[in-house]
Amino acid sequence: MNIIETHDLVKTYAHKNAVDHVNMHIPQGSIYGFVGENGSGKTTIMRLLTGLVEPTSGSFTLNSVSNKSSKIYEARKQMSAIVEVASMVPSMTARDNIYYQSLYLGVKLTEEDINELLKKVHLENVGNKKAKNFSLGMRQRLGIALALMNKPKLMLLDEPMNGLDPQGIADLRDLLIELNEKEGMTILISSHILSELEKIASHYGFISHGKLVEEITSKELQNKCRKSTTLKVDNVEEAQKVLEAMKLKDFKVYPNGDAQIFDEIDVGDLVVNFQKNKIKILAINSSDEGVEEYYLRLINSVQEGSSKEGK
């Protein structure tokens, strides 16, 4: 079952589609990594889902409830979001932020509930420290505590890892995994730190210039990400000739002396052919393509296809 679906969703600003006929499918219980360049439409889609802006056309469902239904307000009560900036009062402590926001939102929290929220985001020992004196990572975790007050089934996080140091990223990552695995929470998270998304995402949506280019599971992505063998040689021009003579079709050579081969190869045969042509191999290693490399390759291929169609 999909907890979020969008159907030809469009949002237009100044005669330009910021979101361009997007059809998303976010399974219940997933961590959905939303990947795209700045201005690709990620934040706009989150704003549409939360009701901060209305679609120009198209529709979406939250827990099978259409945004065109009066019941969408009830469906949104099971959702929380941090879009752009977490809302908190800098002059208040973490505890006071939770207490007063719960009053404002009409959420009944006991002292035990507040203690549990602080413990969940590892802020139980900050005492009377004001939020303005928190590190960025602590503010992010307080923002998540505030978002957890209504015990949501779905959480939307817009670039929550931006600006965090490595420890802050690790703490946030562990918290999101815990919320997903122990509480069954579905999380839609956008991030530029794709190496971190690889560690937590079960599904991905790749978006560019308002268009959803691909949706893919982490397992499918692992199968699609290409393995490569990279060689550093003393004569890259001659190396290219040898690779072409070996009938290899998927490789790249670089001016710095690197040759990257994506075809399946017998390294022994490669070494023999290079030796025959007096090409020295200075270094050799193999690697798997990551999410970032896959995304860039995907987007480049789409853009190349679009430019060809336009000619």
Side-chain angles (χ1 to χ4, degrees):
M1 175 181 172
N2 293 323
I3 195 166
I4 293 177
E5 289 189 10
T6 71
H7 309 281
D8 282 330
L9 193 61
V10 174
K11 182 60 181 177
T12 304
Y13 293 107
H15 307 292
K16 183 179 179 181
N17 287 345
V19 175
D20 194 353
H21 296 87
V22 166
N23 294 286
M24 290 178 72
H25 308 82
I26 301 179
Q28 187 169 353
S30 66
I31 297 181
Y32 187 102
F34 205 17
V35 181
E37 71 277 7
N38 286 335
S40 61
K42 304 187 301 297
T43 300
T44 302
I45 287 175
M46 290 190 180
R47 290 172 64 83
L48 287 164
L49 294 173
T50 55
L52 293 173
V53 294
E54 290 297 319
T56 302
S57 64
S59 62
F60 61 86
T61 58
L62 297 177
N63 242 344
S64 301
V65 177
S66 171
N67 67 297
K68 298 180 180 180
S69 166
S70 60
K71 294 181 180 179
I72 192 65
Y73 303 104
E74 288 298 315
R76 283 198 175 109
K77 289 181 180 180
Q78 299 181 331
M79 176 179 71
S80 64
I82 302 176
V83 180
E84 297 173 315
V85 180
S87 176
M88 65 185 69
V89 181
S91 59
M92 287 185 179
T93 65
R95 181 178 298 277
D96 285 346
N97 263 285
I98 294 173
Y99 175 71
Y100 285 106
Q101 287 214 33
S102 70
L103 292 179
Y104 177 75
L105 295 173
V107 178
K108 294 182 179 180
L109 293 181
T110 64
E111 193 69 21
E112 185 178 344
D113 292 332
I114 295 175
N115 290 337
E116 185 61 30
L117 280 171
L118 289 170
K119 186 177 179 181
K120 190 171 289 184
V121 299
H122 309 297
L123 291 176
E124 67 271 30
N125 297 318
V126 296
N128 292 321
K129 190 173 185 177
K130 301 291 192 293
K132 64 183 178 182
N133 297 319
F134 283 5
S135 68
L136 181 56
M138 291 169 69
R139 288 200 295 273
Q140 289 284 38
R141 283 184 277 133
L142 175 55
I144 289 176
L146 295 170
L148 292 174
M149 287 192 301
N150 63 331
K151 298 181 180 179
K153 294 181 180 179
L154 169 67
M155 182 180 289
L156 279 56
L157 300 173
D158 186 21
E159 300 284 356
M161 297 179 183
N162 270 7
L164 297 184
D165 60 23
Q167 185 60 54
I169 290 173
D171 290 343
L172 180 59
R173 180 184 68 225
D174 292 344
L175 175 58
L176 297 181
I177 291 173
E178 182 180 340
L179 291 172
N180 176 254
E181 293 182 351
K182 292 186 178 180
E183 302 190 18
M185 187 180 296
T186 305
I187 300 171
L188 168 60
I189 174 173
S190 68
S191 179
H192 284 117
I193 308 176
L194 303 188
S195 59
E196 286 300 324
L197 279 186
E198 285 185 84
K199 298 173 184 175
I200 63 173
S202 60
H203 296 71
Y204 293 89
F206 297 113
I207 188 170
S208 181
H209 296 90
K211 294 180 181 291
L212 190 66
V213 178
E214 183 177 56
E215 286 188 310
I216 190 170
T217 68
S218 59
K219 289 183 179 179
E220 290 169 338
L221 182 59
Q222 288 172 10
N223 292 333
K224 277 191 166 187
C225 281
R226 298 188 296 178
K227 294 182 178 180
S228 67
T229 301
T230 302
L231 309 165
K232 183 169 283 294
V233 297
D234 66 342
N235 190 329
V236 73
E237 290 83 5
E238 288 300 316
Q240 178 166 351
K241 293 177 184 178
V242 171
L243 295 174
E244 290 171 348
M246 292 176 67
K247 308 297 184 184
L248 297 179
K249 296 179 181 178
D250 199 359
F251 67 87
K252 293 181 180 179
V253 295
Y254 304 95
N256 66 353
D258 285 353
Q260 189 174 21
I261 304 166
F262 298 101
D263 288 303
E264 288 287 336
I265 59 168
D266 184 314
V267 175
D269 288 346
L270 187 68
V271 171
V272 168
N273 277 284
F274 275 24
Q275 287 176 339
K276 284 181 180 178
N277 289 273
K278 298 180 180 180
I279 301 169
K280 289 184 179 180
I281 299 177
L282 307 176
I284 183 169
N285 65 75
S286 60
S287 63
D288 292 337
E289 185 179 45
V291 173
E292 184 170 5
E293 292 82 7
Y294 178 83
Y295 168 73
L296 291 173
R297 178 163 62 87
L298 178 68
I299 296 305
N300 287 337
S301 66
V302 169
Q303 289 175 349
E304 287 173 5
S306 297
S307 62
K308 287 179 181 178
E309 289 177 5
K311 290 181 179 179

